Amino acid sequence: MGDHLEKGQHALLNEGDENEMEIFGYRTHGCRKALCLIGSIFSLGILPLVFYWRPAWHVWANCIPCSLQEADVVLLRTTDEFKIYSWKKVIWISLSALSSTSGLTPDHPLITDEEYIINRAIRKPDLKVRYIKVQKIRYVWNNLEGQFQKIGSLEDWFSSAKIHQKFGLGLTSEEQEIRRLICGPNAIDVEITPIWKLLIKEVLNPFYIFQLFSVCLWFSEDYKEYALAIILMSVVSIALTVYDLREQSVKLHHLVESHNSITVSVCERKAGAQDLKSRLLVPGDLLILTGSRVQMPCDAILIDGSCVVDEGMLTGESIPVTKTPLSQSASSAPWKMQAEADPRRHVLFCGTEVIQAKAGCSGTVKAVVLQTGFNTAKGDLVRSILYPKPMNFKLYRDAIRFLLCLVGTATIGMIYTLCVYVLSGEPPEEVARKALDIITIAVPPALPAALTTGIIYAQRRLKKKGIFCISPQRINVCGQLNLVCFDKTGTLTRGGLDPWGVVPCDQNGFQAVHSFASGKALPRGPLCAAMASCHSLILLDGTIQGDPLDLKMFEATKWEMTFSGDDIHLKEMLAHTVVVKPTDIVGQVPVEGLAILHHFPFSSALQRMTVIVQQMGGGRLAFMKGAPERVASFCQPDTVPACFISELQIYTTQGFRVIGLAYKKLETDCSTTALMREKVESDLIFLGLLILENRLKEETKPVLEELISARIRTVMITGDNLQTAITVARKSGMVSEGQKVILVEANEATGSSSASISWQLVEEKKHVPFGNQDNYINIREVPDNAGEGSYHFALSGKSFHVISQHFSSLLPKILINGTIFARMSPGQKSSLVEEFQKLDYFVGMCGDGANDCGALKMAHVGISLSEQEASVASPFTSKTPNIECVPHLIKEGRAALVTSFCMFKYMALYSMIQYVGVLLLYWETNSLSNYQFLFQDLAITTLIGVTMNLNGANPKLVPFRPAGRLISPPLLLSVIFNILLSLAMHIVGFVLVQKQPWYLMELHSVCPVRNDSISALTTASLNVPEKTRSNSTFASFENTTIWFLGTINCIIVALVFSKGKPFRQPMYTNYIFVLVLILQMGVCLFILFADIPDLHRRLDLLCTPVLWRVYILIMISSNFVVSLAVEEAIIENRALWIAVKRCFGYQSKSQYQIWQRNLANDSSWPPLNQTSYSDMQGVSYSNPVFESNEEQL
């Protein structure tokens, strides 16, 4: 369906975005709808159930294709590899209610301005709007462009001047009403899902429908004990699931409800400022921010005044961030393009807290509402939790195929049953019942419940270790991780930075290091003033708050911070301007104090910040701090010492964090707000370097060594300096001793030359005292063969960007050995994780939450070390703020994965053992009795299913991973071999028992006393209904033999399949499981050898000669010995499978392994002391869409 599309029927929704979807138009057809209704009634509700499982079928059955413009139903399909379908009704909004109150007509000026999407959506002359709601977002039909477009945001194409002009005075009440009606309420409404809804959704799962069918069948056969047991298990399972979902729903509801009921001050164009409920806000409203500790109920662009905001909810770091107003530029470019650096510095995000609002020229702080509801930053975070990205993990697809194979097997069994019973002349209802029985035997209803127990146990063990999981299915994925990315600051190293010293400089070069450990005050001068004033710290309730780095730097000066009082009157200084001044301890300094007039805030993209300060009784100055290389580039060349690079490398080589400082004098008659950043940040005088210590956490090195020894790649992604990152990589063991680091540097195209990429070897020298200026990491010339052996690539975010743009053919080659990525922006971190995934790596990302949110969500397994709100989007959160959680997760993931395989194999064998036994008995038109089934299903399999998964994870990480899929050769061979072995044993038992000399004798002649009573009972019960008789139907020597062989074989298979090392703890440590097996085996042997008539009668068994019982034991023992020998010597023999692979020339199809093999045979790789240009490159390589071909043992 949908291949032959009408014109205008198909389009893309959110084109280019992460949540891109295809959209198809359909119109409801009356006749089709009536036929579907009749079909639903006659199918007793089965047809609606199928439509519930397959939304596309519902649309195709009820509707006919049409253009999107005429559609009343749309079919949506995701564009990822999952192709998930859903459908939505097209809803109409009528503006007629507004036309009577505000005189709205089709030619009203308010709705004729087609610069707004809202006005393009209003259909004239009937004043109606069509929209659909997808994943909480409204999309209106744009009549001008003929497509559905997102609503609830300010148009992206507005320039900064237009935003000031159109919204600077607020909206009129009529505009507000129209926007309110079309955009919907400004609320992140996460309703607490009613229990009945959760219950229905859970019960309509195909697995539970199949269970319902099985239970009905069993009740019809009077097999009520196991039916009740399955009902009980299902009720408990459903109750636990519903409870978990309800808890998550309540937690999410409480997380967002506080932002839905805030009273805000809004400026209306005619009526002026008025208080309004935040739910009534619309894009374009003008907010007036007053006071402190204000929760933002929407995203808004600051247009007047400045704010200090706590963005912990978004970034995971509770560090105040300064927001500056959007300037009125004359350019017509979109406002986001006009921002000098990061446009986010003008935006106040929903859910963040405005700690302090400083009024601008107008005397108020004003912001224009940018986005409302689920379009906001917080709304996006909540949507990522409500609609998580589906997992592409082959285990789950293989599980479906496995179930389909069982269904196929069941179908063969059904045909066989029909043939046997019809030819035997059995009644039709009995034939149907026996045939349906085969389905419930071949496809065990307890299978999904048994598979999830391993994950539940792993989740509990993780919880005990302080690791919390919001996506339990990802625990299995942890077992496949083969590359883990780490943030540096706060993750590998300690979060706090301690000032170590400053290196001042003058026209003669760098001076002696001033160590803070000495306790001496900093020498007077601009360097001290720069450290005291160039920061984003604020004074709140008498406490200095802000970035830890800024705080440590300010504390090192021993200055103090206050607000300007009434006694201080300086030009352009507003009330409550922050003033920093020296304390008595510092002694004489050239200035009495500094008033901080204006900030150009720090951003990751710019790698610097600048402040304009006013000296008390002096001139005006500008101070800059940031990455030393960036700061030096803004300074007058003659003020930067010639040995700048070498001096910087002395400290970065040892892992110090280095900050550059600079300043300049400004003209006092110029307004600070009118000064452009470019003008202020030019011709500066370089002041020196601030050195801060960034120590490794104690746990970092041993954890990285453990991962590397387990052949799990470790990669560092940091926003810090490249040299510092290289040093930390060496100190932490990420780059081991003797391994080379190759610096990859790429530069953008300039006017005269195209983009270039160069490769240089980074030399490591031993550290000696600082007096020797020649000892540092430097670039050196190397002979051609120096690239041989182990090496790591190190590159910056800038180089990564240039390589992605101009050298895409080299990108996979670099990523195969890329270990250190420095100066990476949050967006680049996400891109890098995605590029690794395209190479078929299973990627883990571990970060402290700051700037890592995107990468944490993008990775297969995201582990947040922060407990801030932002981390809720990460699948795993660790309470312990160090990377010890990573190996724990991988170990538990591997154990859970192996447990899943064990359970698959066991459940497959259990169902096949029962299946083979029953089909053999059907040949004699016999079967197992209800109590025989009950004993196998409940006393044996259910207990094993619950206890087999209790093995903990092996404390040692081995250097290989478990198989990632069910259809791996060893697993398939194990299952097929054991099925054939069980089949052979059952057939041998079935045939041999019929050849015994006592088989044709009367029942009482085999065991005179025992079977005599049974014979009497049989005669006495001839008039009893068939299903309630003790022995008349089932008791036979074949039945007795098959039941004993099958029951004890189920125990033996559990013993053989219960894997211990290398991924789980040995089986004997699982005391409960061992005890269960011993008890089960003891009971079975007791029933086999004890001659108790009542017990035999209850289980519908016949007494056999002792010798035959010994034969049964010999057959079972032989089966056990052969199965165990094959499992240990062949199936679990990793060396054998590697030899087989080598013999047949099998090579992994994973992209990264293909590249590794190619590079190993490339003598020219890695290139050293070379520079290449983009126009010399051949055809660009494009990574295939991520589809893991990982096939490991």
Side-chain angles (χ1 to χ4, degrees):
M1 294 291 287
D3 289 340
H4 306 290
L5 301 174
E6 282 193 17
K7 190 181 177 185
Q9 192 214 341
H10 171 251
L12 281 175
L13 204 65
N14 303 320
E15 191 171 356
D17 287 358
E18 192 182 348
N19 54 346
E20 183 182 82
M21 290 181 179
E22 289 177 282
I23 180 169
F24 304 88
Y26 286 88
R27 188 171 60 249
T28 308
H29 193 267
C31 289
R32 286 184 173 218
K33 198 167 184 180
L35 284 170
C36 288
L37 187 63
I38 293 163
S40 300
I41 294 164
F42 281 104
S43 66
L44 302 174
I46 291 171
L47 189 63
L49 195 61
V50 172
F51 287 162
Y52 172 77
W53 293 334
R54 297 284 180 187
W57 293 5
H58 175 273
V59 174
W60 293 336
N62 285 274
C63 310
I64 55 170
C66 69
S67 68
L68 285 165
Q69 191 164 358
E70 300 166 338
D72 61 358
V73 168
V74 294
L75 182 65
L76 299 153
R77 182 174 68 189
T78 58
T79 53
D80 56 21
E81 66 266 38
F82 302 100
K83 306 288 181 195
I84 298 166
Y85 281 97
S86 59
W87 64 272
K88 300 288 174 187
K89 279 189 176 178
V90 177
I91 303 164
W92 285 90
I93 302 172
S94 175
L95 303 184
S96 55
L98 294 178
S99 61
S100 56
T101 56
S102 54
L104 198 65
T105 57
D107 54 354
H108 195 286
L110 279 181
I111 59 174
T112 52
D113 183 358
E114 291 195 335
E115 201 168 7
Y116 302 112
I117 291 177
I118 283 180
N119 293 348
R120 295 179 190 179
I122 299 171
R123 195 171 78 177
K124 288 108 179 161
D126 53 356
L127 302 180
K128 285 187 174 180
V129 177
R130 299 167 71 231
Y131 81 91
I132 54 172
K133 197 171 181 181
V134 182
Q135 293 187 352
K136 305 285 187 183
I137 301 282
R138 282 192 185 192
Y139 297 85
V140 293
W141 178 254
N142 185 328
N143 294 296
L144 194 67
E145 295 180 24
Q147 64 178 11
F148 280 104
Q149 278 187 305
K150 192 186 286 188
I151 199 76
S153 303
L154 216 56
E155 285 75 5
D156 283 339
W157 54 78
F158 284 150
S159 65
S160 56
K162 195 150 270 185
I163 288 173
H164 278 274
Q165 175 201 329
K166 284 184 176 285
F167 309 108
L169 297 173
L171 299 173
T172 63
S173 58
E174 291 87 359
E175 282 179 301
Q176 287 176 330
E177 286 298 326
I178 294 169
R179 287 172 178 249
R180 228 165 262 157
L181 199 59
I182 297 172
C183 298
N186 169 45
I188 303 171
D189 283 322
V190 179
E191 61 165 11
I192 298 176
T193 317
I195 289 173
W196 66 268
K197 265 192 185 179
L198 292 169
L199 205 57
I200 289 171
K201 194 177 176 183
E202 191 64 24
V203 167
L204 291 181
N205 186 307
F207 156 61
Y208 287 117
I209 298 296
F210 175 65
Q211 277 201 342
L212 182 65
F213 158 76
S214 303
V215 165
C216 292
L217 182 66
W218 293 333
F219 272 119
S220 75
E221 296 182 331
D222 203 33
Y223 186 36
K224 55 184 181 292
E225 291 88 350
Y226 188 57
L228 289 168
I230 286 290
I231 289 170
L232 182 66
M233 284 167 64
S234 299
V235 166
V236 170
S237 176
I238 290 169
L240 287 172
T241 307
V242 167
Y243 174 77
D244 277 348
L245 290 170
R246 173 81 175 182
E247 283 291 294
Q248 282 183 30
S249 180
V250 169
K251 189 178 176 183
L252 201 54
H253 174 78
H254 291 322
L255 185 74
V256 298
E257 68 172 341
S258 59
H259 302 310
N260 293 337
S261 54
I262 299 168
T263 303
V264 290
S265 182
V266 175
C267 183
E268 198 207 302
R269 192 171 286 243
K270 294 172 185 172
Q274 55 183 329
D275 286 344
L276 205 66
K277 283 284 179 190
S278 61
R279 292 183 74 89
L280 301 174
L281 286 174
V282 291
D285 265 334
L286 186 65
L287 285 177
I288 296 170
L289 301 171
T290 53
S292 60
R293 299 291 179 190
V294 177
Q295 290 281 345
M296 283 302 296
C298 59
D299 289 355
I301 310 173
L302 196 62
I303 62 167
D304 195 9
S306 64
C307 292
V308 178
V309 183
D310 178 1
E311 290 190 346
M313 186 283 294
L314 288 179
T315 65
E317 269 191 320
S318 292
I319 292 171
V321 179
T322 303
K323 299 288 182 176
T324 56
L326 183 71
S327 59
Q328 292 196 54
S329 170
S331 168
S332 59
W335 70 273
K336 285 183 182 178
M337 307 295 289
Q338 290 174 2
E340 295 153 10
D342 187 356
R344 292 164 60 95
R345 66 194 185 92
H346 306 304
V347 181
L348 305 169
F349 292 104
C350 176
T352 60
E353 187 178 44
V354 178
I355 301 172
Q356 210 171 62
K358 295 180 186 174
C361 304
S362 64
T364 55
V365 179
K366 295 177 184 174
V368 174
V369 175
L370 177 65
Q371 292 173 137
T372 56
F374 280 95
N375 291 289
T376 61
K378 178 147 189 169
D380 192 46
L381 184 69
V382 173
R383 284 196 319 121
S384 71
I385 300 164
L386 290 172
Y387 309 102
K389 180 181 163 189
M391 276 187 304
N392 182 10
F393 193 39
K394 289 199 170 181
L395 173 68
Y396 301 117
R397 280 180 289 164
D398 290 348
I400 302 298
R401 289 173 191 161
F402 170 78
L403 283 172
L404 290 174
C405 287
L406 292 182
V407 170
T409 310
T411 308
I412 295 166
M414 281 179 74
I415 295 165
Y416 164 85
T417 306
L418 289 169
C419 294
V420 169
Y421 275 82
V422 168
L423 291 171
S424 301
E426 292 287 330
E429 65 272 12
E430 180 64 18
V431 175
R433 207 179 287 142
K434 292 292 182 189
L436 292 172
D437 251 345
I438 286 296
I439 299 177
T440 63
I441 290 167
V443 186
L447 176 63
L451 292 176
T452 53
T453 51
I455 293 171
I456 291 165
Y457 293 148
Q459 195 175 0
R460 283 182 185 170
R461 288 194 292 268
L462 286 171
K463 201 171 181 179
K464 285 179 184 174
K465 288 172 182 166
I467 302 166
F468 297 91
C469 172
I470 61 165
S471 178
Q473 294 301 321
R474 284 188 188 259
I475 294 174
N476 273 342
V477 185
C478 293
Q480 284 292 288
L481 289 185
N482 53 2
L483 185 148
V484 185
C485 300
F486 295 95
D487 177 37
K488 183 181 77 70
T489 311
T491 304
L492 298 176
T493 59
R494 291 178 186 172
L497 292 161
D498 298 311
W500 182 83
V502 284
V503 188
C505 83
D506 56 22
Q507 59 268 36
N508 300 319
F510 285 107
Q511 305 302 302
V513 178
H514 172 87
S515 172
F516 290 115
S518 65
K520 292 177 185 175
L522 266 174
R524 64 180 67 188
L527 181 64
C528 182
M531 288 174 60
S533 62
C534 194
H535 51 68
S536 56
L537 299 174
I538 60 163
L539 197 62
L540 193 67
D541 302 329
T543 311
I544 301 171
Q545 294 186 11
D547 187 297
L549 187 149
D550 285 350
L551 201 57
K552 291 281 187 183
M553 179 181 75
F554 180 74
E555 285 171 354
T557 63
K558 297 188 171 65
W559 283 35
E560 63 183 11
M561 186 183 290
T562 58
F563 285 123
S564 57
D566 297 332
D567 54 327
I568 304 171
H569 297 286
L570 291 171
K571 186 183 174 185
E572 286 193 60
M573 198 163 97
L574 302 168
H576 287 84
T577 297
V578 171
V579 175
V580 290
K581 53 186 180 182
T583 56
D584 297 334
I585 307 164
V586 179
Q588 291 300 311
V589 285
V591 291
E592 295 172 17
L594 303 168
I596 302 169
L597 302 180
H598 190 72
H599 284 90
F600 294 109
F602 176 83
S603 82
S604 301
L606 296 177
Q607 298 176 356
R608 66 183 187 276
M609 78 165 288
T610 305
V611 293
I612 298 172
V613 301
Q614 175 75 53
Q615 298 181 41
M616 300 295 185
R620 193 169 288 176
L621 305 168
F623 289 109
M624 179 194 279
K625 85 164 193 301
E629 313 92 297
R630 294 294 291 148
V631 171
S633 69
F634 291 99
C635 294
Q636 298 167 23
D638 57 328
T639 66
V640 180
C643 60
F644 170 77
I645 297 292
S646 59
E647 186 76 17
L648 175 61
Q649 287 177 329
I650 288 174
Y651 301 105
T652 54
T653 0
Q654 298 165 81
F656 286 114
R657 178 84 178 268
V658 184
I659 305 292
L661 298 161
Y663 89 113
K664 74 184 281 188
K665 292 180 180 177
L666 299 173
E667 297 169 15
T668 51
D669 57 348
C670 186
S671 167
T672 54
T673 50
L675 280 172
M676 295 299 289
R677 187 164 190 165
E678 290 83 1
K679 189 176 178 184
V680 175
E681 295 179 337
S682 62
D683 294 326
L684 299 166
I685 297 165
F686 191 73
L687 288 172
L689 302 171
L690 170 65
I691 318 294
L692 300 113
E693 281 187 288
N694 192 196
R695 297 193 188 100
L696 279 178
K697 290 179 179 175
E698 292 86 0
E699 304 83 8
T700 297
K701 193 168 183 178
V703 167
L704 291 180
E705 283 172 353
E706 184 179 10
L707 293 175
I708 291 163
S709 67
R711 292 187 187 171
I712 294 168
R713 267 192 72 185
T714 55
V715 171
M716 186 195 298
I717 313 178
T718 177
D720 205 346
N721 173 283
L722 184 56
Q723 295 283 12
T724 305
I726 291 171
T727 307
V728 170
R730 288 195 188 278
K731 283 187 173 180
S732 63
M734 200 175 272
V735 175
S736 54
E737 233 176 293
Q739 290 184 323
K740 303 177 183 72
V741 174
I742 297 169
L743 183 67
V744 182
E745 197 169 351
N747 294 302
E748 284 279 12
T750 57
S752 56
S753 64
S754 54
S756 64
I757 182 168
S758 61
W759 318 76
Q760 302 286 346
L761 188 68
V762 175
E763 182 183 7
E764 181 188 18
K765 288 196 175 181
K766 300 295 178 188
H767 309 307
V768 294
F770 300 122
N772 188 339
Q773 292 281 316
D774 298 320
N775 292 278
Y776 50 83
I777 285 184
N778 67 342
I779 308 302
R780 60 165 179 158
E781 297 292 319
V782 289
D784 291 341
N785 63 350
E788 293 173 10
S790 185
Y791 58 90
H792 299 264
F793 288 126
L795 58 152
S796 66
K798 182 186 74 118
S799 296
F800 176 73
H801 175 72
V802 174
I803 292 165
S804 301
Q805 294 290 314
H806 302 285
F807 301 93
S808 53
S809 60
L810 291 173
L811 186 60
K813 292 183 176 185
I814 292 167
L815 294 183
I816 292 300
N817 285 86
T819 302
I820 301 153
F821 297 84
R823 295 283 187 230
M824 297 286 279
S825 68
Q828 286 174 330
K829 288 183 180 184
S830 301
S831 300
L832 180 62
V833 167
E834 191 175 13
E835 288 298 328
F836 276 128
Q837 288 175 333
K838 287 176 184 174
L839 288 172
D840 290 346
Y841 280 110
F842 278 90
V843 184
M845 173 71 200
C846 182
D848 61 353
N851 300 323
D852 300 322
C853 286
L856 290 170
K857 282 161 69 177
M858 181 62 70
H860 291 109
V861 176
I863 311 154
S864 173
L865 304 183
S866 164
E867 289 188 67
Q868 288 286 338
E869 261 180 61
S871 68
V872 294
S874 175
F876 297 93
T877 307
S878 173
K879 263 194 170 180
T880 315
N882 62 56
I883 63 169
E884 277 183 331
C885 58
V886 176
H888 285 320
L889 254 180
I890 295 172
K891 289 169 194 171
E892 287 297 348
R894 288 179 173 187
L897 197 54
V898 170
T899 299
S900 294
F901 291 142
C902 290
M903 281 313 301
F904 263 116
K905 286 167 70 176
Y906 178 72
M907 295 309 277
L909 257 295
Y910 145 68
S911 61
M912 286 298 106
I913 288 166
Q914 218 172 57
Y915 174 81
V916 164
V918 168
L919 289 189
L920 284 171
L921 291 174
Y922 276 5
W923 186 256
E924 299 286 331
T925 62
N926 196 353
S927 182
L928 296 177
S929 72
N930 286 352
Y931 280 113
Q932 287 175 333
F933 272 127
L934 186 67
F935 190 89
Q936 282 186 356
D937 292 339
L938 202 59
I940 304 294
T941 307
T942 305
L943 284 176
I944 286 171
V946 170
T947 58
M948 191 180 186
N949 299 335
L950 286 169
N951 290 43
N954 186 9
K956 180 176 169 54
L957 262 183
V958 290
F960 52 92
R961 299 173 293 157
R965 47 188 317 182
L966 276 171
I967 351 177
S968 63
L971 241 145
L972 281 177
L973 182 65
S974 176
V975 170
I976 293 165
F977 175 77
N978 279 283
I979 288 172
L980 293 174
L981 196 62
S982 296
L983 177 65
M985 183 180 73
H986 278 76
I987 291 172
V988 167
F990 186 78
V991 172
L992 275 183
V993 76
Q994 292 176 340
K995 293 187 181 299
Q996 296 307 306
W998 40 264
Y999 176 75
L1000 294 172
M1001 294 182 192
E1002 292 293 323
L1003 288 177
H1004 57 78
S1005 60
V1006 179
C1007 287
V1009 179
R1010 309 323 185 268
N1011 287 338
D1012 227 4
S1013 58
I1014 291 172
S1015 185
L1017 281 162
T1018 304
T1019 311
S1021 62
L1022 284 172
N1023 299 318
V1024 179
E1026 189 181 321
K1027 280 291 163 192
T1028 56
R1029 287 188 216 154
S1030 297
N1031 292 70
S1032 59
T1033 306
F1034 306 110
S1036 71
F1037 290 124
E1038 291 95 338
N1039 171 291
T1040 303
T1041 303
I1042 291 293
W1043 186 78
F1044 275 120
L1045 288 174
T1047 306
I1048 299 175
N1049 199 18
C1050 283
I1051 301 169
I1052 281 166
V1053 164
L1055 188 64
V1056 171
F1057 285 169
S1058 183
K1059 296 283 180 296
K1061 288 182 176 181
F1063 303 112
R1064 301 201 305 167
Q1065 288 182 348
M1067 190 194 71
Y1068 58 78
T1069 60
N1070 186 352
Y1071 307 118
I1072 299 173
F1073 177 62
V1074 173
L1075 186 64
V1076 163
L1077 289 187
I1078 291 168
L1079 284 172
Q1080 287 175 338
M1081 188 60 83
V1083 169
C1084 287
L1085 292 176
F1086 175 76
I1087 296 168
L1088 180 62
F1089 287 103
D1091 293 330
I1092 304 170
D1094 287 345
L1095 185 61
H1096 279 194
R1097 188 173 66 251
R1098 176 66 70 179
L1099 287 170
D1100 297 297
L1101 299 171
L1102 287 182
C1103 184
T1104 57
V1106 174
L1107 186 60
W1108 181 245
R1109 302 179 212 181
V1110 173
Y1111 283 160
I1112 288 173
L1113 208 55
I1114 289 168
M1115 282 188 273
I1116 288 164
S1117 302
S1118 305
N1119 184 301
F1120 171 64
V1121 170
V1122 174
S1123 177
L1124 188 65
V1126 170
E1127 197 74 18
E1128 292 300 319
I1130 297 173
I1131 309 298
E1132 292 298 309
N1133 189 338
R1134 193 166 176 273
L1136 175 68
W1137 285 103
I1138 290 170
V1140 169
K1141 277 172 139 185
R1142 201 175 290 123
C1143 178
F1144 285 96
Y1146 171 82
Q1147 291 184 320
S1148 171
K1149 297 185 186 76
S1150 297
Q1151 284 292 317
Y1152 73 91
Q1153 294 200 328
I1154 292 169
W1155 279 105
Q1156 281 172 348
R1157 290 195 294 270
N1158 292 343
L1159 294 177
N1161 298 324
D1162 188 350
S1163 58
S1164 64
W1165 189 264
L1168 290 171
N1169 305 321
Q1170 292 180 23
T1171 300
S1172 308
Y1173 295 90
S1174 57
D1175 55 355
M1176 292 167 64
Q1177 296 298 312
V1179 179
S1180 289
Y1181 166 82
S1182 177
N1183 277 336
V1185 175
F1186 173 62
E1187 171 65 32
S1188 174
N1189 291 308
E1190 192 65 23
E1191 291 177 22
Q1192 282 204 322
L1193 291 178

